[in-house]
Amino acid sequence: MKTKAAVLYEHGKPLVIDELELDSPKVREVSIEYRAAGLCHTDLSLINGVARMCPLPCVPGHEGAGVVREIGPAVTTVKPGDHVLLMWVPVCGRCYYCLRGQPYLCAEKDKNRGGAMPDGTYRLRKGRRTVHSMMGVGSFSEYNVVAETCVLPIDPSIPFDIAAIAGCGVITGVGAVINKAKVKPGNSVAVLGAGGVGLNVIQGAVLSNATKIVAIDILDNKLELAKVFGATHVINASKEDPLKKAFEITNGIGVDYAFEAVGSAETTLTAYQLIRRGGSVVIVGVPDLDAKLTLPLAEIPVMEKSILGSFYGSGDIRSELITLLELYKAGRINLENLITNRYRLEEINNGFKDLEAGKNARGVIIYE
Ligand SMILES: [Zn+2]
Ligand SMILES: [Zn+2]
């Protein structure tokens, strides 16, 4: 069949709205009619060429939700007509990590980072040229074929745009707080970067009953949004010293947990300086591959400071996502206000301009 898609042919150039050929799903694969796709910073890094996790040409987009149209042989968990959200970490259930309760580290994801199906082949083409699907999801296409391990059936009452964003920034931010840091009632939390992930760190801190939640960013519009999501204090680091202010807020002690959601060595160092003795930095933002960090090493044992990494929510991905959508239905987490703009597929390059300009918590493509 044919599908309309936004294709990346060259790094640093706008996406091209093009018509591609799509094959039918093979064993343990499903075809999806996407209804919504999130515009994430990771897509922008791929488009700009800063991160090159997918060979070109490529259909970017790793946040999506839609309807199952067709299933390949041996598919057992979904059927045509099911509403699903996409997970960009497939959960194979059989690898070293899955068997040890760490499905977010599943070894299968090493394969789909190259934009191929788990069997190493491809379903999208332009003429005779293979087109890769970013992270095995490729949601900037009206239709695509994905591995069964990447889809989660959802309650059809949940809007597609809400489901699409749950599968990336929401699980990453909330999960880092609950599963990795295990923030407790009364703890103090700082968040560096109040974008799509940082706002969800704030939501996780609210769910954990943290009493001081300090959002740090350099844009006032993002800090205003941080307050909507539950930040008790905000610091504009372009106007005031975040260290001085955060120590004032915590009576000179420092915070229990600092979450780095920018992905830079500079903000990670600030996060490290913000934590109290015995505190932890949780790195959620993904820096460039060549980024290096220099730290005052003696503080790690002497002050018992910890540095933790958190990837894709650090939990049981499927049950975490089901829980997050239940929390959304119960009004306990705010997903509506994460979506700041909606675009048609043809407007996708404007959506990325808005993201780059700091206007979007999340922009979402809506397929009509
Ligand atoms: Zn994302
Ligand atoms: Zn696995």
Side-chain angles (χ1 to χ4, degrees), residues 172-191 200-214 230 255-260 275-276 278-284 308 310 313-314:
T172 299
V174 175
V177 178
I178 292 178
N179 298 319
K180 180 53 78 170
K182 300 186 172 71
V183 169
K184 296 198 174 48
N187 280 166
S188 57
V189 165
V191 184
N200 286 297
V201 168
I202 294 169
Q203 305 219 71
V206 172
L207 281 173
S208 304
N209 291 310
T211 43
K212 284 177 181 161
I213 304 173
V214 185
V255 296
D256 296 317
Y257 297 95
F259 293 83
E260 202 286 336
I275 55 173
R276 65 165 174 83
S280 301
V281 172
V282 182
I283 302 174
V284 190
L308 308 169
S310 180
S314 308

Side-chain angles (χ1 to χ4, degrees), residues 90-95 97-98 103 106-108:
V91 180
C92 79
R94 298 181 299 273
C95 73
Y97 306 98
C98 283
C106 178
E108 285 279 318

Side-chain angles (χ1 to χ4, degrees), residues 60 89 94 102 111 121-122 168 176 184 196 200 215-216 221 225 238 243 249 267 273-274 283 324 334 336:
V89 174
R94 298 181 299 273
Q102 295 178 303
K111 293 184 199 162
T121 63
Y122 303 88
C168 186
K184 296 198 174 48
N200 286 297
I216 304 169
N221 64 325
L225 203 50
S238 72
L243 285 175
I249 293 165
T267 44
Q273 291 166 330
L274 279 171
I283 302 174
L324 286 168
N334 179 351
E336 267 104 12

Side-chain angles (χ1 to χ4, degrees), residues 233-252:
H233 301 76
V234 296
I235 303 173
N236 186 327
S238 72
K239 296 178 186 164
E240 50 191 343
D241 178 1
L243 285 175
K244 187 165 171 279
K245 188 82 193 290
F247 276 88
E248 271 169 36
I249 293 165
T250 54
N251 307 318

Side-chain angles (χ1 to χ4, degrees), residues 321-341:
L321 284 166
I322 290 165
T323 303
L324 286 168
L325 294 176
E326 285 299 319
L327 289 167
Y328 161 73
K329 284 199 285 182
R332 300 290 298 278
I333 57 171
N334 179 351
L335 303 185
E336 267 104 12
N337 287 341
L338 284 174
I339 302 176
T340 28
N341 276 302

